[in-house]
């Protein structure tokens, strides 16, 4: 049960990001999702490469793969390009779907560079957290930057963002308690032989003192 709960806490941040769940809403009503923000501000980088360039093909493939889970969920709930749902169509139009949902984020945030940095740290930190099975510092930095952005812009976090922060905090508490327990166990194991030796030396020491007193008398 504890393993299942911990796996859920570690998996929740990257799941929320891959599903492109909104962590907040801008003043214009657009959803703020880390992946959509990164794709929106990386649009020029994705489109400026030569069509035959291997770097561009790899970048497009990576972007489509990361965006596919969220795009698929969005198309299933609210079809825009294919009805019934078609996975191949969603894959082919992955960037267009992300661009359409994040098109006005740039116009509604006064400090977009902080939002981009927060989104990047949030995404990479969530991935490293799952791979390393511990909360990575990049995830904490991304949460802090995103909280600062929301506060500066006067925006409210969504329930998804609140759940993500709660999962991270609970995992840090669990990790700290586990490390404290291990430290106490190691300390007890290290001091046990010393205490045993002290107990064995006490009778000999007592006998020696008595002998000295008898000799003194």
């Amino acid at each position: 049960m504890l393993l299942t709960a911990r796996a859920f806490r570690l998996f929740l941040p990257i799941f929320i990001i891959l599903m492109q769940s909104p962590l907040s809403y801008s003043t214009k009503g657009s959803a703020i999702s880390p992946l959509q923000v990164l794709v929106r501000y990386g649009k020029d980088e994705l489109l400026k490469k030569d069509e035959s360039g291997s770097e561009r093909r790899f970048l497009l493939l990576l972007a489509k793969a990361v965006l596919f889970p969220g795009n698929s969920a969005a198309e299933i709930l609210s079809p825009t390009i294919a009805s019934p749902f078609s996975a191949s169509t969603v894959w082919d139009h992955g960037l267009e779907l992300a661009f359409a949902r994040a098109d006005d984020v740039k116009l509604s945030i006064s400090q977009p560079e902080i939002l981009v940095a927060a989104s990047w740290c949030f995404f990479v930190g969530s991935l490293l957290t799952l791979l390393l099975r511990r909360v990575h510092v990049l995830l904490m930095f991304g949460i802090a930057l995103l909280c600062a952005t929301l506060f500066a812009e006067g925006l409210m976090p969504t329930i998804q963002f609140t759940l993500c922060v709660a999962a991270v905090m609970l995992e840090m508490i669990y990790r700290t308690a586990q490390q404290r327990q291990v430290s106490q166990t190691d300390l007890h194991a290290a001091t046990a032989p010393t205490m045993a030796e002290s107990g064995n030396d006490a009778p000999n020491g007592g006998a020696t003192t008595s002998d000295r007193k008898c000799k003194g008398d």
Side-chain angles (χ1 to χ4, degrees), residues 36 38 49 59 76 83 101 122 132 152 161 167 185 188 197:
Q36 293 176 9
L38 291 177
K49 303 294 182 182
L59 211 57
I76 292 174
S83 183
R101 287 197 297 272
F122 211 118
L132 300 177
F161 182 57
T185 303
H188 179 72
E197 291 176 2

Side-chain angles (χ1 to χ4, degrees), residues 30-42:
S30 60
I32 298 177
S33 171
L35 277 185
Q36 293 176 9
V37 170
L38 291 177
V39 171
R40 175 64 182 83
Y41 288 100

Side-chain angles (χ1 to χ4, degrees), residues 54-101:
S54 59
E55 182 181 353
R56 179 179 183 274
R57 286 199 300 268
F58 173 76
L59 211 57
L60 290 175
L61 183 64
L62 181 62
K64 288 182 178 181
V66 172
L67 292 168
F68 183 73
N71 288 341
S72 298
E75 280 300 303
I76 292 174
L77 296 175
S78 179
T80 57
I81 59 174
S83 183
F85 172 77
S86 173
S88 60
T89 304
V90 173
W91 174 269
D92 294 336
H93 296 83
L95 294 179
E96 290 83 350
L97 290 172
F99 291 154
R101 287 197 297 272

Side-chain angles (χ1 to χ4, degrees), residues 1 24 32 41 70 86 91 103 109 138-139 150 165 182 187 208:
M1 183 66 181
S24 182
I32 298 177
Y41 288 100
S86 173
W91 174 269
D103 192 51
I109 300 294
L138 272 179
L139 178 56
L150 297 184
V165 173
V182 171
L187 180 61
T208 303

Side-chain angles (χ1 to χ4, degrees), residues 126-148:
S126 298
L127 184 60
L128 291 176
T129 294
L130 181 63
L131 295 177
L132 300 177
R133 293 183 296 177
R134 61 179 177 82
V135 178
H136 197 272
V137 64
L138 272 179
L139 178 56
M140 296 299 300
F141 192 57
I143 290 175
L145 278 179
L146 191 55
C147 287

